[in-house]
Amino acid sequence: MVRTRFAPSPTGYLHIGGARTALFSWAYARKHGGKFVLRIEDTDLERSTKASIQAIHEGMSWLELDYDEGPFYQMERLQRYQEVAQQLLENGQAYYCYASKEELEQMRQQQLAAGLKPRYDGRWRDSKKTPPAGVKPVIRFKNPLSGYVAFNDLIKGKISVSNQELDDLVLIRSDGIPTYNFSVVLDDLDMRITHVIRGDDHVNNTPRQINILKALDAGLPEYAHVPMILGANGERLSKRHGAVSVTQYRDDGYLPEALVNYLARLGWSHGDEEIFSREQLVEWFDLASISRSPAKFNPEKLHWLNQQYLKKTDSNRLAELVKPFLSRDDCNFDQGPDLIAVIDLLKERVNTTEELADAAVFFFRQLEPSEELRQQFYTLESKTILSELLKKLIQLENWSRDAIHQTIKETVKELGVKFPKVAMPLRVMVTGEVHTPSIDAILELLGRDETLKRMTIQMDKFMDS
Ligand code: GLU
């Protein structure tokens, strides 16, 4: 049975790259009816935080990347790593190394000075020396001295590395905490992971991990190293390229299904399909279609994709997403027009739920037009026109979109002016803006009392007052 995992280090927010790796591992497991495991790699005590673990959980649950097993925490498995390290020591496949930090640094400097690649020189590998007193040793792995490690990466193809390139890596630090390469091997083994899908920043670790697995007489999982994500300028994606944290996108008003769709297309494709559901992703997903070259993160495309999803989303759901933004903008959405109707009117015009809220504000409180708009629209001529309209609207019996439209048309006809001469200043008076949906629809939703109140207030602010 296929078993995949996502193994984040909780040292920051869940970023776009991590979420994509998680998505690929999740999709692969789902496609094959397998299991998806969550493992928190929290052995970096200085950098791991509870807040980051929380962000990982929040991000994954928002994206609905549900896992079948875990979360497992490496810090709860220390005994297991110790146990296996002891076993390797007993079998002569690992050894204690007492080299001090200063000694290792000196070794490094000498190698660099001699034009060599810095590597541990194996000085304690077969040493019969008496260990120095008071030094807590590390446990190092006896990497094979000759031969090659080869594996067939499911994305990158055949990879082969000479053992001479690899030194004796530390398995357990002097404080008893395992290194990444050791814990990851035991975890993947114990959790029976069949497919290790991860970022290609780890591809150089894989030969080391394979050597440890071989020393343990264990079978190898398949490996799939996903190329990294770059910003538009070709540099590795970072904060400089805009938001990279998954929960930030949630907070900025993106829909999780849009982000899932976008992340899936980041380095993976199924023909020319741009918009597809989570179910289609699971049906189509395969590792062979992951691109071998890095993907480019394009925030505008994500923005566009979000709009495609947003306009098809049920307005009741959007209402719940918009409410926190409206509250933040001092809007009481329990009073005034029906929020669902407002959303129906606006959702085709915006890209995010935050933009949707921004566009809805004027329905819930009157916005003053900018000085620039007043100069342009609050002219004497407009005042005469709008006074006429106001008179008619006060008398209008049936406050419906059609009737309002007819009233505007009548005013236009009677005064012999063009439609925008009425509609534009009216729009500015009532909404404070010029880019809005059709004015009759807005007035209908705002209601008679609110419309007349707003118009009356604004009438006093025209040029001659
Ligand atoms: N904890 C590692 C990281 O966050 C991932 C290790 C792995 O997937 O093997 O980069």
Side-chain angles (χ1 to χ4, degrees):
M1 184 205 278
V2 166
R3 292 175 61 87
T4 65
R5 75 334 185 250
F6 176 47
S9 304
T11 54
Y13 40 75
L14 175 61
H15 57 85
I16 290 292
R20 185 194 56 162
T21 308
L23 177 64
F24 286 178
S25 294
W26 173 89
Y28 194 75
R30 291 291 167 264
K31 164 153 188 153
H32 294 280
K35 299 277 186 224
F36 176 56
V37 177
L38 175 62
R39 179 171 78 228
I40 307 284
E41 305 208 323
D42 55 353
T43 54
D44 185 340
L45 300 184
E46 265 170 34
R47 295 174 59 227
S48 299
T49 62
K50 284 223 163 65
S52 169
I53 295 177
Q54 180 63 21
I56 290 165
H57 286 305
E58 269 183 37
M60 288 183 69
S61 91
W62 183 59
L63 296 176
E64 290 181 44
L65 300 177
D66 53 317
Y67 44 88
D68 306 295
E69 290 173 30
F72 297 108
Y73 294 87
Q74 291 188 323
M75 286 307 285
E76 291 173 8
R77 287 176 40 82
L78 294 185
Q79 215 185 333
R80 173 70 179 144
Y81 309 129
Q82 284 290 351
E83 190 182 290
V84 177
Q86 287 305 321
Q87 182 191 320
L88 289 168
L89 282 169
E90 279 160 27
N91 295 346
Q93 290 161 313
Y95 60 95
Y96 287 113
C97 165
Y98 296 84
S100 67
K101 253 199 190 140
E102 297 69 34
E103 208 181 322
L104 291 172
E105 183 53 28
Q106 199 183 24
M107 181 197 307
R108 212 177 92 86
Q109 293 304 338
Q110 282 168 357
Q111 287 165 340
L112 284 174
L116 300 168
K117 197 168 135 191
R119 65 205 300 278
Y120 176 70
D121 63 3
R123 60 183 60 183
W124 283 93
R125 185 173 168 119
D126 295 305
S127 174
K128 301 276 179 296
K129 272 193 294 182
T130 319
V135 178
K136 274 200 168 168
V138 300
I139 300 176
R140 284 188 187 268
F141 178 62
K142 264 194 189 174
N143 199 75
L145 296 173
S146 59
Y148 283 83
V149 197
F151 66 102
N152 191 24
D153 189 278
L154 296 178
I155 298 169
K156 292 179 178 292
K158 218 172 163 59
I159 293 179
S160 163
V161 175
S162 161
N163 272 320
Q164 287 175 346
E165 297 275 317
L166 309 173
D167 57 6
D168 289 351
L169 75 135
V170 174
L171 301 177
I172 305 268
R173 297 193 181 89
S174 55
D175 59 4
I177 309 260
T179 55
Y180 156 70
N181 276 310
F182 188 45
S183 50
V184 84
V185 161
L186 285 184
D187 291 346
D188 286 341
L189 188 60
D190 290 351
M191 294 166 199
R192 307 189 316 283
I193 301 303
T194 57
H195 292 73
V196 171
I197 301 168
R198 62 182 167 202
D200 72 356
D201 46 338
H202 287 291
V203 73
N204 292 335
N205 288 318
T206 304
R208 295 175 177 282
Q209 295 176 12
I210 290 178
N211 279 339
I212 301 175
L213 282 167
K214 284 185 177 160
L216 294 171
D217 246 343
L220 304 183
E222 298 282 357
Y223 292 96
H225 288 94
V226 183
M228 63 173 105
I229 303 174
L230 306 177
N233 58 358
E235 283 172 19
R236 197 181 169 150
L237 188 65
S238 73
K239 268 192 186 160
R240 272 173 299 142
H241 302 103
V244 286
S245 131
V246 166
T247 43
Q248 187 64 48
Y249 282 96
R250 177 195 62 190
D251 299 345
D252 288 348
Y254 286 78
L255 296 168
E257 57 271 38
L259 188 56
V260 162
N261 188 155
Y262 182 72
L263 290 175
R265 275 293 283 111
L266 213 46
W268 174 83
S269 57
H270 180 77
D272 293 331
E273 305 283 350
E274 286 294 345
I275 301 179
F276 44 82
S277 67
R278 174 184 293 269
E279 290 71 31
Q280 284 168 315
L281 166 65
V282 168
E283 189 187 327
W284 296 335
F285 190 73
D286 62 352
L287 296 169
S289 303
I290 293 178
S291 165
R292 286 187 177 196
S293 38
K296 271 221 173 118
F297 185 68
N298 180 344
E300 287 84 41
K301 188 168 167 194
L302 171 56
H303 204 59
W304 169 82
L305 197 57
N306 202 58
Q307 199 220 350
Q308 305 306 306
Y309 276 89
L310 203 134
K311 63 185 184 194
K312 285 193 226 129
T313 300
D314 178 72
S315 294
N316 286 293
R317 177 175 164 218
L318 290 178
E320 294 312 309
L321 297 170
V322 154
K323 282 177 184 175
F325 292 117
L326 285 176
S327 299
R328 186 195 65 185
D329 291 337
D330 293 327
C331 292
N332 182 357
F333 44 81
D334 291 330
Q335 280 170 17
D338 174 30
L339 182 55
I340 306 293
V342 168
I343 290 173
D344 283 340
L345 190 62
L346 296 172
K347 70 181 177 188
E348 297 254 348
R349 308 169 59 91
V350 293
N351 291 62
T352 65
T353 49
E354 187 174 30
E355 289 176 15
L356 184 55
D358 290 346
V361 167
F362 73 75
F363 279 103
F364 301 97
R365 67 184 167 83
Q366 184 161 16
L367 296 177
E368 286 297 325
S370 66
E371 192 48 40
E372 209 185 329
L373 289 183
R374 281 166 42 117
Q375 296 224 348
Q376 195 180 346
F377 294 106
Y378 281 21
T379 60
L380 279 180
E381 184 198 12
S382 303
K383 183 166 184 164
T384 319
I385 298 172
L386 270 293
S387 311
E388 274 312 305
L389 178 70
L390 182 55
K391 270 190 232 155
K392 287 195 191 324
L393 287 176
I394 289 171
Q395 281 159 20
L396 188 64
E397 274 175 23
N398 168 20
W399 194 264
S400 70
R401 187 176 174 165
D402 283 349
I404 294 166
H405 187 75
Q406 279 311 320
T407 311
I408 298 175
K409 269 175 76 177
E410 272 168 32
T411 315
V412 161
K413 210 167 153 199
E414 277 175 30
L415 301 180
V417 292
K418 293 231 157 69
F419 194 87
K421 280 274 182 198
V422 183
M424 288 311 287
L426 173 61
R427 175 174 271 127
V428 173
M429 286 170 95
V430 172
T431 72
E433 296 170 21
V434 275
H435 301 293
T436 70
S438 84
I439 190 65
D440 42 22
I442 290 174
L443 263 47
E444 180 186 56
L445 269 179
L446 264 184
R448 172 199 297 273
D449 292 352
E450 182 65 18
T451 303
L452 299 182
K453 188 177 105 193
R454 288 188 184 188
M455 286 182 75
T456 311
I457 293 172
Q458 293 297 312
M459 270 307 185
D460 286 342
K461 300 183 180 174
F462 275 63
M463 287 288 283
D464 65 341
S465 61

